[in-house]
Amino acid sequence: NGTGFLAGVVVRFGAATATIVSSTATRIVARTPPQAAGLVTLTVVNTTGVGVQVPNAFAYRGPAPTVTSLSPAQGPAAGGTEVAIVGSGFQAGVSVSINAQPAVVLSVTATRLLVRMPAHAPGVATVVVTNADSQSVSSPDAFTYVVGGPAI
């Protein structure tokens, strides 16, 4: 949203030109072009050559995380089980929760997390992995808490 946009206005995200879906004198709707994750400058230029640049105005996100497996997939209700979560798109600063209770993240690579599970009532639990950019994946019934067993 803004003012003074003319027919034929050009919008760039970084160096890439966006596709204009619609525009009026006060509003532009544009389809973002593909880019690598990170902040880019937004540039809007009218057909007269007059325009504006706004540095770091748009953030491209990386791919959302995915979860393909947990190992082990069960542990004692007392918590403490170290679990490897395998998937993709994990980022530094990732958090893991089990039915909204935080797990302790011990190590992170792009494809593997090692976490220490919190205590929880016996039964199945949903595991949610959330990257620092707020993208997340939910894996319903991915971990089962069982009665008894050792706790660490």
Side-chain angles (χ1 to χ4, degrees), residues 65-69 85-90 109-113:
T66 64
V67 171
T68 54
S69 67
I85 301 174
V86 177
S88 65
F90 303 140
T109 70
T111 59
R112 185 177 184 272
L113 304 173

Side-chain angles (χ1 to χ4, degrees), residues 7-125:
V9 67
V10 174
V11 176
R12 289 188 192 89
F13 290 83
T17 302
T19 301
I20 303 299
V21 175
S22 66
S23 68
T24 67
T26 59
R27 181 177 172 153
I28 300 170
V29 176
R31 184 169 295 116
T32 56
Q35 300 249 22
L39 293 171
V40 297
T41 296
L42 174 65
T43 305
V44 178
V45 181
N46 276 324
T47 53
T48 61
V50 176
V52 64
Q53 286 189 333
V54 182
N56 300 321
F58 190 83
Y60 279 91
R61 295 180 177 185
T66 64
V67 171
T68 54
S69 67
L70 277 74
S71 180
Q74 73 173 26
T81 303
E82 289 189 5
V83 175
I85 301 174
V86 177
S88 65
F90 303 140
Q91 301 172 353
V94 68
S95 65
V96 177
S97 63
I98 314 305
N99 285 356
Q101 295 179 347
V104 176
V105 178
L106 302 171
S107 67
V108 179
T109 70
T111 59
R112 185 177 184 272
L113 304 173
L114 182 62
V115 301
R116 183 172 299 117
M117 302 301 271
H120 190 282
V124 296

